[in-house]
Amino acid sequence: MGLTFWAPNINIFRDPRWGRGQETPGEDPLVTGKYAVSYVRGIQGDSFEGGKLGENLQASACWKHFTAYDLDNWKGVTRYDFNANVSLQDLADTYQPPFQSCIEEGKASGVMCAYNRVNGVPNCADYNLLSKTARGQWGFNGYITADCDAVATIYEQQGYVKVPEDAAADVRKAGMDVDCGSYLLKYTKLAVEKRKLSLSEIDRALYNLFSIRMRLGLFNGNPVKQPFGNSGLDQICSQEHQNLALEAARNGIVLLKNAKKTPSAFKNQNNFPCSNGPQCRFRTNTSWKLCRPSLQNYYTIERLQSYVKDTRFHQGCSAVNCSSAFTDQAMNVATGADRIVLVMGLDQTQEREKLDRVDLVLPPKQQNLISAIARAAKNPIILVLLSGGPVDISFAKNDPHIGSILWAGYPGEAGGRALAEIIFGDHNPGGRLPVTWYPQSYTNIPMTDMRMRPEPSSGYPGRTYRFYQGLKVFEFGYGLSYSNYTYEFLPVKRNKVYLHIQVSSHVVGNSNPPGFIPVSKIGTEVCDKIKHQVTVRVENNGEMAGKHSLLLFVRPANMSNMRPVKQLVAFQSVNLKAGERAEIELQLRPCEHLSLANEDGTMVIEEGSYFLSIGDKEIEIQAVK
């Protein structure tokens, strides 16, 4: 198939109902950007830093979906016909930053434009987006592809053009190079013949496409003699890779509630997640897209039996939608158990590409089954929740019969072992939620409303932890541990950030209100000089070693609907033994971390006080001119 990979998906997980949110790293632009850069560098090799590969590529990474794409199919509105109305302000400080990081820091070699329109213009036909922004402002050097049949939708679903060849011409002139579909194949020649498209646009596309093939070494002779020519099947399911799958599962599981740490017996409900490809343990000729929950479920029971041999299983529901709940049979099994683990949640029949949710709660009979078994159990039960997106489990959070709740996402082939290790206390959980968990009432907000910032006059609460002003089930970044960690800010070298501007004091005028300084007027040199380190002392006061994530937030002293309630500015994980402490340095970059977008999309810094916070600790800093 080649060496180009159409990944990563780095759209912001803006709405909790989005079926593809599970493919992304979450709702925060900083986290998404850092993830994107690491992902692309890992796929492509060291070409981003001029290493031994030079400009050559190990493989080509193509990030997606450009831009403001986070709706697939919601109440009859599809990604093919959706017109996302997005303000310049929200584009500048929410939707675009991960893409910019992926180009400027990750040096991605591919871009995929999205199906949807933004402010009336199809993404794949938007010259300002593809050529002016990605290539011109951010310095993108690579190829741009359409999502599959996205060119066809410009004519067939969106009616943006009157004839098919206009769609072929418009995307070429916008800067797109290749079509995942047949429209360019069918209509490019006609567009040229009608003088709607020049040959120079085709030449440009060929240049971009063949330059990537050259960087991949596809014209360098015998592939076996190339740097990665000996990569083969022996590297698939290697022990190193299986260990990495286990590490990812361990670190990604989030402890949401905890009263007791280590139960001693297990009952299970059959709804483990789909696997996008054969698991190493179960190598078959099964189709790559086939979901096999029974194999994942078997693996989990097997792992729990390694701790408690008398571990029994009962299928509590006929399927994940729980259209038929075997409540009586499950109750009979459960009442005889010392400890109970219920594995509940969602799967790809509930959330996936082309399918958004309409609810944030579990299927009704699932919830009823959980509550019934919890009431009948001898001891508080453990609830393991599998889902890609957030779920309103307020009923379980507040139920004293449910002692512990673990959110495992879709933990992959090693998820069963990781869960068993956490349940029985052999691994100390340290995962954090990458998205806000909203109450069911959030579904009253149309998924089509792209606004990030709240509008109190209309009751619109805003979106994501940065702007949302409403009740939460769990917050972004929430996650418990079997240890207790404490923090202390060490004295900072500077608690004032001087925003020396490069021109006269009149730079503030025009669209910026008094006290707001455009970052562009501060300049790169000053921005680099005012970067500084913030040192945090963290201590593990528990009895277990653990991996702990430090999340450094900033919030303004004076709140407004224009700026975020708070914003993540740095994060780092640290491994600490029981009783161990460490001093961790986190970098504060004021031009990036204290800035926000004004209404025309210009990044500005407001003079005044800010608070840096980590856990329950805060320190004040000031931005002054």
Side-chain angles (χ1 to χ4, degrees):
M1 297 291 290
L3 293 171
T4 56
F5 293 83
W6 286 359
N9 182 342
I10 53 172
N11 293 107
I12 296 297
F13 199 165
R14 169 190 62 93
D15 190 288
R17 293 161 287 188
W18 186 29
R20 298 189 73 177
Q22 60 187 288
E23 301 176 25
T24 77
E27 69 182 33
D28 180 71
L30 176 70
V31 172
T32 303
K34 296 291 187 184
Y35 165 90
V37 171
S38 295
Y39 193 113
V40 168
R41 288 180 175 182
I43 290 288
Q44 295 190 166
D46 64 4
S47 59
F48 69 94
E49 60 183 0
K52 63 181 180 180
L53 291 179
E55 287 296 314
N56 295 328
L57 297 168
Q58 174 178 267
S60 173
C62 173
W63 53 260
K64 57 188 183 182
H65 309 80
F66 201 32
T67 185
Y69 166 74
D70 47 23
L71 179 150
D72 269 65
N73 186 351
W74 177 78
K75 293 187 176 182
V77 180
T78 73
R79 59 187 180 177
Y80 307 114
D81 53 32
F82 178 49
N83 180 29
N85 290 308
V86 187
S87 70
L88 295 175
Q89 188 175 40
D90 287 340
L91 274 173
D93 66 9
T94 296
Y95 294 104
Q96 300 289 60
F99 300 134
Q100 184 174 357
S101 297
C102 210
I103 290 175
E104 294 181 344
E105 298 176 50
K107 306 299 181 183
S109 54
V111 171
M112 178 185 286
C113 51
Y115 291 109
N116 58 294
R117 289 168 288 165
V118 173
N119 301 326
V121 181
N123 279 309
C124 292
D126 191 342
Y127 176 85
N128 286 330
L129 184 69
L130 305 186
S131 293
K132 194 172 180 180
T133 301
R135 292 195 188 278
Q137 295 178 15
W138 300 342
F140 175 63
N141 179 27
Y143 76 97
I144 298 176
T145 179
D147 207 337
C148 294
D149 293 321
V151 180
T153 65
I154 293 173
Y155 169 69
E156 295 176 2
Q157 275 81 27
Q158 298 170 2
Y160 184 74
V161 294
K162 295 181 179 180
V163 290
E165 60 267 27
D166 283 351
D170 283 0
V171 298
R172 285 288 200 211
K173 290 187 288 187
M176 201 193 82
D177 300 310
V178 65
D179 179 16
C180 175
S182 60
Y183 245 56
L184 292 187
L185 177 66
K186 291 178 180 178
Y187 298 110
T188 298
K189 183 178 178 181
L190 183 58
V192 172
E193 290 173 345
K194 290 187 175 183
R195 298 187 177 183
K196 296 180 176 182
L197 179 67
S198 69
L199 288 176
S200 64
E201 302 288 358
I202 299 174
D203 291 342
R204 181 217 69 234
L206 289 171
Y207 176 91
N208 290 333
L209 292 168
F210 274 86
S211 66
I212 295 300
R213 300 180 77 175
M214 291 174 181
R215 292 176 67 192
L216 287 168
L218 300 183
F219 298 95
N220 292 353
N222 187 347
V224 175
K225 295 181 179 180
Q226 303 310 312
F228 304 101
N230 293 318
S231 298
L233 295 177
D234 59 324
Q235 293 180 269
I236 299 175
C237 292
S238 65
Q239 191 59 52
E240 180 185 1
H241 292 172
Q242 292 186 56
N243 293 343
L244 186 61
L246 176 59
E247 180 185 355
R250 286 169 174 164
N251 293 339
I253 293 172
V254 183
L255 182 62
L256 298 175
K257 178 182 178 179
N258 188 40
K260 298 289 184 180
K261 293 181 182 177
T262 52
S264 57
F266 171 71
K267 301 293 176 287
N268 181 280
Q269 189 256 341
N270 179 16
N271 75 330
F272 266 80
C274 297
S275 172
N276 213 16
Q279 298 171 17
C280 292
R281 186 172 171 80
F282 304 104
R283 299 301 297 279
T284 70
N285 293 322
T286 312
S287 167
W288 185 251
K289 288 291 185 181
L290 182 64
C291 297
R292 299 181 316 289
S294 59
L295 294 179
Q296 175 71 285
N297 189 43
Y298 164 78
Y299 192 37
T300 302
I301 295 170
E302 181 185 56
R303 285 297 178 182
L304 285 156
Q305 284 175 334
S306 69
Y307 287 92
V308 178
K309 291 185 177 180
D310 186 16
T311 296
R312 304 171 192 174
F313 161 75
H314 187 273
Q315 182 174 329
C317 289
S318 57
V320 171
N321 64 8
C322 213
S323 56
S324 298
F326 311 129
T327 305
D328 291 341
Q329 302 97 308
M331 291 287 286
N332 289 335
V333 176
T335 53
D338 294 325
R339 301 282 181 176
I340 298 169
V341 176
L342 287 179
V343 183
M344 312 295 280
L346 309 177
D347 69 2
Q348 305 298 287
T349 66
Q350 308 293 305
E351 53 175 2
R352 65 176 187 275
E353 184 172 1
K354 299 184 181 180
L355 180 64
D356 300 320
R357 289 189 283 162
V358 294
D359 286 307
L360 294 180
V361 292
L362 292 172
K365 290 185 179 179
Q366 263 203 52
Q367 182 168 321
N368 294 339
L369 181 64
I370 294 170
S371 297
I373 290 180
R375 288 193 299 269
K378 296 178 182 178
N379 294 291
I381 70 168
I382 295 172
L383 174 62
V384 175
L385 194 67
L386 300 171
S387 68
V391 181
D392 181 354
I393 53 168
S394 300
F395 79 97
K397 178 182 178 182
N398 300 320
D399 188 341
H401 300 102
I402 299 175
S404 300
I405 303 173
L406 287 163
W407 178 65
Y410 293 134
E413 66 180 42
R417 177 176 172 181
L419 282 167
E421 290 177 349
I422 290 172
I423 288 170
F424 286 95
D426 281 345
H427 179 74
N428 193 353
R432 303 292 193 100
L433 291 179
V435 291
T436 302
W437 285 37
Y438 303 88
Q440 168 68 2
S441 59
Y442 196 79
T443 59
N444 294 328
I445 298 170
M447 196 173 170
T448 51
D449 194 328
M450 301 292 289
R451 291 176 296 168
M452 298 302 299
R453 289 160 167 82
E455 186 181 72
S457 61
S458 65
Y460 183 70
R463 293 186 179 277
T464 76
Y465 82 95
R466 295 166 62 231
F467 299 105
Y468 174 64
Q469 297 178 359
L471 297 175
K472 306 178 187 73
V473 181
F474 293 107
E475 290 191 333
F476 168 86
Y478 178 82
L480 302 174
S481 168
Y482 294 156
S483 295
N484 176 45
Y485 296 91
T486 55
Y487 311 100
E488 179 186 355
F489 280 105
L490 298 189
V492 294
K493 294 180 180 179
R494 61 174 87 169
N495 59 9
K496 287 187 177 181
V497 176
Y498 291 97
L499 307 174
H500 300 289
I501 54 180
Q502 294 181 334
V503 295
S504 70
S505 60
H506 299 293
V507 299
V508 179
N510 299 329
S511 61
N512 298 306
F516 287 85
I517 304 172
V519 173
S520 61
K521 299 298 184 181
I522 299 172
T524 303
E525 184 178 349
V526 174
C527 285
D528 288 339
K529 285 182 179 180
I530 61 178
K531 294 177 183 177
H532 62 278
Q533 303 297 321
V534 176
T535 304
V536 178
R537 179 179 292 146
V538 56
E539 183 173 357
N540 181 352
N541 296 298
E543 298 178 357
M544 290 184 68
K547 184 176 183 179
H548 184 64
S549 296
L550 285 78
L551 307 181
L552 181 66
F553 293 92
V554 65
R555 68 173 180 86
N558 299 315
M559 278 303 304
S560 70
N561 293 327
M562 181 181 178
R563 62 164 52 257
V565 176
K566 65 177 182 178
Q567 182 161 305
L568 186 67
V569 297
F571 58 93
Q572 186 172 323
S573 294
V574 57
N575 290 291
L576 293 174
K577 298 175 183 178
E580 187 180 7
R581 66 170 60 176
E583 293 181 2
I584 306 299
E585 288 190 343
L586 302 168
Q587 188 177 63
L588 180 68
R589 301 190 295 275
C591 288
E592 177 185 343
H593 296 153
L594 302 186
S595 63
L596 73 154
N598 65 12
E599 292 185 358
D600 66 7
T602 301
M603 300 305 295
V604 298
I605 298 178
E606 182 180 12
E607 295 180 79
S609 294
Y610 296 82
F611 290 94
L612 296 175
S613 66
I614 187 164
D616 59 352
K617 303 297 183 182
E618 283 191 336
I619 59 170
E620 185 178 3
I621 60 172
Q622 289 185 324
V624 295
K625 187 169 66 177

